[in-house]
């Protein structure tokens, strides 16, 4: 069994390869030598977490699409309408936030020399133990933000073993991760997974963004 540690412990006992950001510009740490991930530790608007946690899971937007960067907001708005997510200030913040994270992600990719005119965008309502194994994604980079439920878990591992200590990303805190295809990517041993929740009755709402140089649906 592995131990789990909240973010406050991370700030005191950081693990190798993970940067912490207090503001959006801190995501640039992903380009620093030896950095495999950056977490933007932020607080969502008052009431948002309670609002989205109380929604009927059937009203959570779901999608797997490749979209131009300038169409992310419109795409997410349409998905929210399709799923009957209740309109209002929290829904508006969610739509605007996904679009904002898309722009921030694309900016960091561009600065790293990764062409990103399109994004592969996933919104998953997760109730299973999908992706429960610790791994590194076979992409150049990936941004993950859990808006509902427990966030991504990560730790340092060697030789295919599970991490001895597991850290949890808080809800609404984006984590930007290097993948195996990141240019000049010496391994740091950092791995991550989706937290196992099968049988708990919980539903996670997870945003995943990958860089795409062409509008090819590669799901």
């Amino acid at each position: 069994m592995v131990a789990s540690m909240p973010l406050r412990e991370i700030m005191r006992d950081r693990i190798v390869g993970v940067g912490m950001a207090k503001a959006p510009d801190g995501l640039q740490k992903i380009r620093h030598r030896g950095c495999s991930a950056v977490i933007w530790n932020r607080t969502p608007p008052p009431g948002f977490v309670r609002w989205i946690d109380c929604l009927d899971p059937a009203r959570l937007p779901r999608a797997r699409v490749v979209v131009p960067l300038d169409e992310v907001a419109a795409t997410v708005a349409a998905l929210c309408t399709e799923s009957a997510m209740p309109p209002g200030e929290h829904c508006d913040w969610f739509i605007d936030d996904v679009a904002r994270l898309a722009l921030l992600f694309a900016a960091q990719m561009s600065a790293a020399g990764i062409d990103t005119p399109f994004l592969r965008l996933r919104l998953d309502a997760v109730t299973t133990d999908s992706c429960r194994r610790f791994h590194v994604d076979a992409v150049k980079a990936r941004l993950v933000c859990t808006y509902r439920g427990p966030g991504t878990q990560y730790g340092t591992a060697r030789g295919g073993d599970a991490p001895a200590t597991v850290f949890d990303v808080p809800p609404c805190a984006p984590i930007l991760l290097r993948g195996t295809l990141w240019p000049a990517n010496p391994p740091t041993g950092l791995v991550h997974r989706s937290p196992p929740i099968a049988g708990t009755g919980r539903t996670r709402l997870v945003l995943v963004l990958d860089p795409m140089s062409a509008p090819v649906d590669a799901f």
Side-chain angles (χ1 to χ4, degrees):
M1 181 180 292
V2 295
S4 179
M5 296 182 69
L7 192 65
R8 63 178 179 275
E9 297 296 326
I10 301 173
M11 300 304 294
R12 187 184 66 195
D13 301 314
R14 291 183 185 180
I15 64 174
V16 173
V18 178
M20 296 293 160
K22 295 182 179 179
D25 58 3
L27 293 174
Q28 66 182 328
K29 293 179 182 179
I30 196 66
R31 307 197 305 274
H32 292 183
R33 182 177 178 83
C35 184
S36 292
V38 182
I39 297 170
W40 175 15
N41 186 22
R42 62 177 186 164
T43 302
F48 175 81
V49 171
R50 177 175 175 79
W51 173 80
I52 201 162
D53 282 353
C54 291
L55 285 184
D56 182 338
R59 292 192 165 196
L60 299 175
R62 297 162 170 81
R64 295 191 173 211
V65 296
V66 175
V67 60
L69 185 59
D70 60 358
E71 295 182 12
V72 171
T75 299
V76 176
L79 292 169
C80 290
T81 298
E82 181 180 341
S83 67
M85 177 178 273
E89 61 176 329
H90 296 311
C91 181
D92 291 343
W93 181 83
F94 171 73
I95 294 167
D96 291 344
D97 193 62
V98 173
R100 182 188 189 194
L101 292 182
L103 289 172
L104 290 170
F105 178 60
Q108 294 304 325
M109 295 302 95
S110 178
I114 300 172
D115 190 29
T116 315
F118 298 86
L119 291 174
R120 183 163 52 192
L121 183 153
R122 240 170 56 209
L123 280 169
D124 287 336
V126 182
T127 59
T128 67
D129 288 349
S130 175
C131 296
R132 67 170 295 167
R133 296 186 63 181
F134 284 99
H135 64 282
V136 180
D137 297 309
V139 295
K140 292 180 178 179
R142 173 165 287 174
L143 185 145
V144 182
C145 185
T146 304
Y147 288 97
R148 169 172 163 159
T152 300
Q153 296 183 327
Y154 66 96
T156 300
R158 300 291 180 183
D161 295 332
T165 303
V166 176
F167 299 86
D168 303 302
V169 180
C172 298
I175 180 169
L176 177 55
L177 297 144
R178 290 186 185 185
T180 59
L181 304 182
W182 180 271
N185 190 23
T188 64
L190 185 74
V191 292
H192 67 278
R193 72 173 182 180
S194 297
I197 60 170
T200 66
R202 305 188 72 177
T203 300
R204 302 173 65 230
L205 178 61
V206 184
L207 168 72
V208 180
L209 298 174
D210 298 331
M212 296 286 288
S213 59
V216 177
D217 192 343
F219 284 106

